[in-house]
Amino acid sequence: PSVEGPTAPPIEDPVAPPFQQALSGLPFGVALHDASLRYVYVNDALAAINGHAVAAHAGRAVEDILPAPVAAEVRALLTTALETGVAVPRVRVRGRTMHD
């Protein structure tokens, strides 16, 4: 399956169905982004934290989903990871979203 944003070209879903099932049930948020930092996948927990449906994230930029201060912090972390090739595990971003 593929997902599409309002003006974004289609993105192939990188998470195979069995893994989606496993990730969707985790009690913490998980997101995958493309190189333009558009959401490609979010699990149910992150969708609830962000206050938007899972499907509403698809193809949208971080700034389209998160409030400005939180989006800026997330974008900085993700940009650094892309530029350095070093993953940033266990990220904890503090701030308000649509839902605490």
Side-chain angles (χ1 to χ4, degrees):
S2 65
V3 292
E4 222 175 303
T7 59
I11 341 171
E12 288 303 313
D13 192 342
V15 184
F19 296 110
Q20 285 183 11
Q21 203 168 32
L23 291 173
S24 71
L26 292 173
F28 51 85
V30 174
L32 297 176
H33 300 270
D34 66 9
S36 298
L37 301 182
R38 295 177 301 169
Y39 287 96
V40 177
Y41 172 83
V42 297
N43 70 348
D44 295 337
L46 188 60
I49 291 166
N50 289 347
H52 296 278
V54 168
H57 288 74
R60 296 180 70 193
V62 172
E63 293 81 6
D64 296 334
I65 297 292
L66 302 173
V70 176
E73 187 174 349
V74 169
R75 181 166 282 280
L77 288 167
L78 295 174
T79 299
T80 299
L82 282 173
E83 289 172 354
T84 64
V86 178
V88 184
R90 298 186 193 133
V91 172
R92 192 174 284 211
V93 176
R94 298 195 190 278
R96 289 195 147 323
T97 61
M98 296 293 290
H99 185 301
D100 276 339

